[in-house]
């Protein structure tokens, strides 16, 4: 008996309102110089902007780029300030809708202005430029694409926040390592293991350490060892051989080379100069 296949076609209506929870009202790109007089205004929509240049943020001058969130329904200054003769580049959009509200709520900007500093402003500038082009389209499809572009901006911000959290965790681990070196400079330190405990490469860990300490990890360890050596030579009667071991050196000759390189004299000469 032949098998008959029955195909049933359902006529249905496509929901064309899927992107209606986002509305792009305007996109503005303006570059301004110096200070300008600011007045408080009541915001009637949401402002999401990219700020670059020299800008006062919480009365502190910042040169780092940042994204700012200005929510709807608050009273706030109608702009930003820069020192006289310095410029700022303000690229911002005015928007509204539930998508926007969710983003602002996620960043704690439902009732107040918030900002997030950026490591690299270029990906954000590209998205704002794309939003500017879509706004000029003034069509239903352009608005839908603008909603997707807005979601991509939200994704960039999420990635930025996750990177910041990781860097904060790395900074805490590096701070602990610095305390460990300061407390016991003569110990043996495995920098590769320290980087591995953070889940990053030694090269990346060294860059983060240098940013935190102002010097590479090897130089920091040598600085702490030199400080301990000076202290023990000046304030104790310990033999130089014992001091060499306390500072992490295998013998007097190795310790003497290190000390002469950093101090310009031998440990014995340094001790005698302190006694004199």
């Amino acid at each position: 008996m032949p098998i008959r296949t029955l195909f049933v076609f359902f006529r249905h209506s496509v929901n064309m309102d899927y992107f209606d929870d986002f509305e792009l009202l305007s996109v503005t790109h303006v570059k301004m110089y110096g200070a300008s007089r600011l007045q408080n205004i009541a915001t009637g929509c949401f402002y999401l902007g990219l700020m670059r240049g020299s800008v006062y943020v919480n009365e502190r001058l910042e040169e780092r780029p940042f994204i700012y969130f200005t929510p709807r329904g608050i009273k706030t200054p109608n702009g930003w300030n820069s020192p006289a003769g310095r410029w700022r580049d303000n690229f911002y959009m005015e928007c509204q809708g539930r998508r926007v509200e969710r983003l602002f709520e996620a960043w704690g900007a439902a009732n107040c202005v918030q900002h997030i500093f950026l490591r690299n402003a270029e990906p954000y500038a590209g998205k704002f430029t794309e939003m500017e082009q879509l706004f000029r389209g003034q069509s239903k499809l352009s608005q839908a694409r603008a909603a997707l572009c807005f979601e991509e901006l939200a994704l960039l911000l999420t990635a930025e926040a996750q990177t910041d959290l990781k860097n904060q965790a790395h900074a805490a681990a590096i701070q602990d390592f610095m305390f460990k070196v300061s407390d016991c400079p003569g110990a043996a330190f495995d920098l590769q293991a320290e980087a591995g405990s953070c889940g990053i490469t030694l090269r990346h860990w060294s860059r983060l350490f240098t940013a935190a300490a102002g010097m590479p990890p090897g130089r920091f360890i040598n600085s702490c060892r030199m400080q301990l050596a000076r202290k023990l030579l000046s304030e104790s009667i310990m033999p130089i051989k014992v001091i060499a071991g306390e500072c992490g050196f295998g013998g007097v000759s190795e310790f003497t080379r290190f000390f002469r390189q950093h101090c310009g004299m031998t440990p014995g000469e340094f001790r005698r100069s302190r006694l004199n």
Side-chain angles (χ1 to χ4, degrees):
M1 181 177 181
I3 299 174
R4 296 182 179 180
T5 304
L6 179 63
F7 294 94
V8 180
F9 295 91
F10 293 95
R11 185 180 299 275
H12 62 280
S13 60
V14 178
N15 183 4
M16 299 301 293
D17 300 330
Y18 181 79
F19 294 103
D20 282 359
D21 59 351
F22 174 81
E23 184 178 3
L24 184 60
L25 303 175
S26 71
V27 181
T28 304
H29 192 185
V30 58
K31 189 170 184 177
M32 302 182 70
Y33 289 83
S36 59
R37 188 173 182 179
L38 303 180
Q39 296 178 341
N40 282 343
I41 61 168
T43 57
C45 63
F46 293 87
Y47 295 81
L48 181 67
L50 170 64
M51 186 68 70
R52 291 170 289 184
S54 302
V55 187
Y56 285 111
V57 181
N58 299 331
E59 300 183 355
R60 175 178 173 177
L61 183 62
E62 293 285 356
E63 305 285 348
R64 296 175 291 173
F66 60 91
I67 291 287
Y68 65 86
F69 306 79
T70 303
R72 176 182 59 193
I74 66 167
K75 287 190 175 181
T76 184
N78 64 334
W80 301 83
N81 261 329
S82 298
R86 306 282 284 276
W87 64 271
R88 64 184 182 276
D89 184 281
N90 191 5
F91 204 168
Y92 66 94
M93 68 182 75
E94 298 175 64
C95 48
Q96 61 186 15
R98 184 55 192 149
R99 283 178 196 256
V100 184
E101 292 173 8
R102 286 198 302 269
L103 179 67
F104 275 59
E105 288 167 1
W107 287 92
N111 301 302
C112 62
V113 177
Q114 295 284 10
H115 62 275
I116 174 174
F117 290 110
L118 307 174
R119 291 169 293 120
N120 180 12
E122 293 311 309
Y124 298 88
K127 287 301 169 189
F128 275 88
T129 300
E130 187 177 348
M131 295 286 273
E132 185 178 34
Q133 294 168 350
L134 289 170
F135 177 71
R136 292 173 183 167
Q138 292 295 328
S139 69
K140 187 74 174 178
L141 187 57
S142 295
Q143 281 286 334
R145 286 176 174 163
L148 292 177
C149 192
F150 183 81
E151 294 296 332
E152 290 170 353
L153 263 173
L155 185 60
L156 283 174
L157 289 167
T158 301
E160 193 89 34
Q162 290 178 346
T163 301
D164 285 345
L165 287 175
K166 288 180 181 178
N167 287 341
Q168 289 172 18
H170 297 337
I174 287 172
Q175 191 72 38
D176 289 342
F177 177 73
M178 291 170 64
F179 285 136
K180 185 164 60 175
V181 174
S182 299
D183 288 342
C184 189
F189 300 106
D190 187 342
L191 303 186
Q192 186 72 56
E194 293 292 335
S197 67
C198 292
I200 56 179
T201 64
L202 177 58
R203 185 176 181 181
H204 187 195
W205 185 88
S206 297
R207 283 199 299 265
L208 294 176
F209 185 98
T210 302
M215 64 182 76
R219 200 196 317 171
F220 179 82
I221 294 171
N222 286 340
S223 176
C224 292
R225 287 178 173 176
M226 191 67 191
Q227 186 177 355
L228 177 62
R230 287 171 175 268
K231 178 180 176 64
L232 294 177
L233 288 168
S234 301
E235 301 177 7
S236 77
I237 58 172
M238 293 170 60
I240 290 177
K241 181 178 180 180
V242 176
I243 293 176
E246 289 290 323
C247 294
F249 297 93
V252 173
S253 59
E254 182 186 356
F255 176 55
T256 299
R257 285 195 301 271
F258 168 82
F259 198 92
R260 190 199 299 274
Q261 180 183 357
H262 290 84
C263 193
M265 61 180 76
T266 67
E269 290 169 344
F270 178 83
R271 172 171 270 178
R272 286 192 293 273
S273 71
R274 286 295 182 268
L275 290 175
N276 293 335

